[in-house]
């Protein structure tokens, strides 16, 4: 992995551990980085991201019900938009939050691009419709080319559409990009949000939001952090302690999986150190250091989708060679979802996705043309994998382990 060296980016700045920012004077030239993601003011925590936790829980329940053939399209669509009390939890039903409004909704990529944003939202709705109208009615049918149904993966049963795609998997993995990655990298960590209006001036003065313990800039940073660590099973203060025991199904889960690959070991720690240091820099009013941490986070979290796309495409290729279509289709369906998520990555050197949307669309069309995964070739899987690896400065072999 061509890692961004954290020490090099912040070299020359002395850090000391602390557990509070109560005594920080704005702006303070020294940066005190706490050992954990713990920030307080006047003895009260300044970290808050409950809205992100709510959306993560909504997504988890929706993922589960996409595999319940008793569900209706209306009910699943209502879960996507949080209408008509669709969830099992009254806390979720009574929330003003929803998933749909935050899909492809970043200020950086979509504030002036409502046509694409609406098209992406409609794509998620179309996957819900397809699962209900095509896959559910064929729940007991054996899948074959052009026919939705079930296919065995060892002792598991997978449910695919006529192209061999698990619609629930492409929905879930695409949401990692369209919701979580986009909101973190292209919304809350963007200068357009962090420095909006008089945020910088007020933050430098330590002026908090009315009735709150945090400044607006602090809160925006924490909301980005919450999209990564907001599942209740994750310790938000010490997320590295949750690497082996969590129930997250979104970006944190796959950051952990990439971190477990020896070629990318340490990416989780580097990412959380950047979140923590950036937050401390905001407290001290050091916006140059803050932006250096944004670059690290953008690189690392973008890399997660790239590595997992290649991993699943290569996993599918290997399974196809062994004539294990259930494993192949499962892996390739996940790969298709992560491929979709690459649209929402952010190259800090260019300010744009690592691969252009039209290029990604072309890859998607190659994989889904004709009978889709029933027809896909090893050569196609290799060429797409190599193109993604080249764009991110890694190798297919590194990501495929």
């Amino acid at each position: 992995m061509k890692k961004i060296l954290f020490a090099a980016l912040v070299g020359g700045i002395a850090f000391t551990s602390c557990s509070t920012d109560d005594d920080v004077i704005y702006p303070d030239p020294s940066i005190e980085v706490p050992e954990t993601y713990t920030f307080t003011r006047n003895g009260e925590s300044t970290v808050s991201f409950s809205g992100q936790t709510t959306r993560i829980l909504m997504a988890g329940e929706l993922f589960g019900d996409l595999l319940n053939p008793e569900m209706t399209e209306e009910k699943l669509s209502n879960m996507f938009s949080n209408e008509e009390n669709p969830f099992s939890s009254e806390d979720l039903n009574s929330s003003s939050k929803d998933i749909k409004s935050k899909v492809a909704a970043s200020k950086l990529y979509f504030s002036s691009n409502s046509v694409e944003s609406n098209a992406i939202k409609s794509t998620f709705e179309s996957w819900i419709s397809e699962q209900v109208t095509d896959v559910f009615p064929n729940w007991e049918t054996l899948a074959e080319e052009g026919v939705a149904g079930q296919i065995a993966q060892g002792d598991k049963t997978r449910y695919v559409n006529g192209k061999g795609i698990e619609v629930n998997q492409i929905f879930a993995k695409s949401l990692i990009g369209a919701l979580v990655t986009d909101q973190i990298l292209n919304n809350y960590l963007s200068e357009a949000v962090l420095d909006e209006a008089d945020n910088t001036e007020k933050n430098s003065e330590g002026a908090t939001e009315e009735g709150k313990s945090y400044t607006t800039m602090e809160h925006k940073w924490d909301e980005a952090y919450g999209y990564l660590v907001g599942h209740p099973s994750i310790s938000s203060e010490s997320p590295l302690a949750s690497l082996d025991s969590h129930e997250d199904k979104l970006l944190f889960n796959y950051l952990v999986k990439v971190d477990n690959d020896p070629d990318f070991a340490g990416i989780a720690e580097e990412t959380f150190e950047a979140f923590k240091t950036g937050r401390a820099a905001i407290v001290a009013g050091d916006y140059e250091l803050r932006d250096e941490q944004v670059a690290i986070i953008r690189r690392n979290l973008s890399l997660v989708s790239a590595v997992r796309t290649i991993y699943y495409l290569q996993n599918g290729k290997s399974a196809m060679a062994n004539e294990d279509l259930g494993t192949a289709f499962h892996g390739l369906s996940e790969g298709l979802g992560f491929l979709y998520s690459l649209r929402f990555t952010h190259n800090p050197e260019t300010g744009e996705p690592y691969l252009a949307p039209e290029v990604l669309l072309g890859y998607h069309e190659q994989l889904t043309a004709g009978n889709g995964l029933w027809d896909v070739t090893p050569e196609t899987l290799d060429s797409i994998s190599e193109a993604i690896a080249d764009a991110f400065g890694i190798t297919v072999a590194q990501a495929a382990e």
Side-chain angles (χ1 to χ4, degrees), residues 26 67 84 137 176 228 269 277 334 351 377-378:
Y26 290 81
L67 284 174
E84 303 297 329
I176 289 173
L228 183 61
E269 181 177 3
T277 302
E334 293 187 275
T377 66

Side-chain angles (χ1 to χ4, degrees), residues 127 130 146 161-167 170 313 332-333 335-337 339-340 360-377 380-381 384:
W127 285 328
E130 183 176 12
N161 65 11
K163 292 180 180 286
I165 298 169
E166 286 183 86
V167 179
I170 195 173
L313 295 184
L332 293 176
S333 297
L336 276 168
L339 179 67
Y340 197 88
L360 296 172
L361 177 60
Y363 296 154
H364 182 87
E365 290 175 345
Q366 288 183 57
L367 294 171
T368 59
N371 287 316
L373 303 185
W374 295 96
D375 292 342
V376 74
T377 66
T380 296
L381 296 174
I384 294 173

Side-chain angles (χ1 to χ4, degrees), residues 21 26 37 41 46 48 194 203 208 213-223 279 282-283:
D21 61 16
Y26 290 81
Y37 200 92
R41 179 174 286 108
T46 61
S48 175
L194 290 174
N203 186 76
T208 60
S213 62
Y214 46 71
T215 69
T216 297
M217 188 185 295
E218 289 170 345
H219 187 49
K220 297 304 181 185
W221 185 275
D222 291 340
E223 288 184 294
R279 181 58 155 80
I282 290 173
V283 170

Side-chain angles (χ1 to χ4, degrees), residues 125-137 161-162 167:
E125 292 277 16
S126 73
W127 285 328
I128 290 174
S129 179
E130 183 176 12
Q131 185 76 348
V132 174
T133 61
D134 188 23
V135 179
F136 285 175
N161 65 11
V167 179

